[in-house]
Amino acid sequence: MAYEVEAPKYVRIAQTLQRRIEDGTYPPGTRVPSENQLVQAFGMSRPTVVRALELLKRDGWLESRQGYGTIVRGRPAVVEQKDRRGREALERDESQTPGRLVEVGEIPAPARVASALGLPKRAKVLVRRFLVEEDAENVELVSTYFPAGLVDGTELASEDVLTGGVREHLEARKKIRFDQVTERVSARLPEANEAALLGLPEGVPILSVLVIARDAAGQALQVSDVLLPADRQELEDTYRLN
């Protein structure tokens, strides 16, 4: 069984407001509800609401304008960059991506994949493993895992490349809706087969971006493990100081 710690109240408020900004409920340039309105709507204390708004201001989603209130700025550019790997994993069209499909089949789920999917250890999952090329160099190894029950009625188990992204494919055939993505970044040394596919010399680490896609109820629909040679990556982040 997978256990997750619930986010603090102010973070949950901030996440809800962020989703409303992203889905157009609060368009850029408009005012968000007042603190009093948010206190009533969420049933939370004023300090909790204020802390949520400050978090969104710090991260660039909102700004305060004197005499006008709290204004929506929209989706910060840094968030677009951070989400790029996750969106690519969901929306990449294999038939239009330089590279090749190196594995399709049912395997025991790796431990952290099983945990992310809420499955028992070593439960069977379907994996699609795609090696992405760029300028004749192997630059990404993307392993995408699906619960066995989600594969029926789809072409995910086919050894032919998919036309259209995985998200589009699943939403059309299974009538499900992807709602949120979580990314977990870590670094490690590659396994022998990973190093061989990515053409890495001995001792060169890889970055792993674990992309967990969920529906609106929080149920994990798929997990993608995007492996990137660490010696070819440059990560940059920008944030505001209070």
Side-chain angles (χ1 to χ4, degrees):
M1 181 181 293
Y3 296 93
E4 293 190 4
V5 177
E6 188 174 38
K9 293 177 181 178
Y10 78 94
V11 172
R12 301 205 302 272
I13 294 174
Q15 290 171 335
T16 299
L17 295 177
Q18 179 182 315
R19 286 195 294 270
R20 292 176 184 175
I21 293 170
E22 292 189 298
D23 69 18
T25 302
Y26 303 145
T30 62
R31 284 187 294 182
V32 296
S34 68
E35 291 177 9
N36 285 338
Q37 290 172 320
L38 292 173
V39 166
Q40 293 178 6
F42 288 101
M44 301 288 185
S45 67
R46 183 180 297 276
T48 300
V49 167
V50 169
R51 192 173 182 186
L53 293 174
E54 290 302 318
L55 178 62
L56 291 171
K57 291 173 188 176
R58 185 202 70 186
D59 289 346
W61 295 88
L62 303 174
E63 66 177 329
S64 294
R65 291 185 189 173
Q66 190 171 3
Y68 197 68
T70 302
I71 309 301
V72 176
R73 297 188 63 185
R75 186 179 177 84
V78 67
V79 175
E80 294 285 356
Q81 178 63 25
K82 287 171 109 176
D83 284 355
R84 184 171 68 88
R85 297 294 180 191
R87 288 183 177 275
E88 284 181 352
L90 291 175
E91 299 173 2
R92 176 180 284 119
D93 185 334
E94 292 176 351
S95 67
Q96 300 298 316
T97 301
R100 59 191 174 91
L101 197 60
V102 295
E103 182 182 356
V104 179
E106 194 174 82
I107 64 169
R112 67 176 186 155
V113 171
S115 176
L117 290 172
L119 298 174
K121 290 182 179 179
R122 308 295 289 175
K124 292 295 183 69
V125 293
L126 178 80
V127 62
R128 292 184 69 84
R129 190 163 283 129
F130 194 90
L131 185 63
V132 181
E133 298 176 0
E134 187 175 294
D135 298 327
E137 184 177 46
N138 297 334
V139 295
E140 287 183 33
L141 180 60
V142 184
S143 301
T144 303
Y145 304 88
F146 306 92
L150 199 63
V151 175
D152 295 341
T154 74
E155 297 174 14
L156 295 175
S158 170
E159 295 185 358
D160 297 326
V161 294
L162 291 178
T163 299
V166 170
R167 175 183 179 181
E168 177 186 349
H169 186 81
L170 280 172
E171 288 186 337
R173 287 166 176 72
K174 302 296 288 188
K175 307 304 179 186
I176 57 178
R177 181 177 179 274
F178 286 76
D179 182 75
Q180 54 187 281
V181 172
T182 300
E183 296 184 18
R184 300 172 184 169
V185 181
S186 59
R188 62 175 173 84
L189 288 174
E191 297 177 4
N193 64 321
E194 296 168 343
L197 286 169
L198 289 168
L200 297 178
E202 185 176 355
V204 174
I206 53 175
L207 293 179
S208 167
V209 183
L210 195 72
V211 181
I212 307 166
R214 297 183 174 91
D215 61 18
Q219 175 64 48
L221 301 173
Q222 72 171 66
V223 172
S224 294
D225 193 9
V226 183
L227 302 184
L228 308 159
D231 62 342
R232 305 172 204 165
Q233 307 302 316
E234 181 177 343
L235 302 180
E236 178 178 332
D237 200 354
T238 301
Y239 59 92
R240 286 182 170 79
L241 298 175
N242 290 329

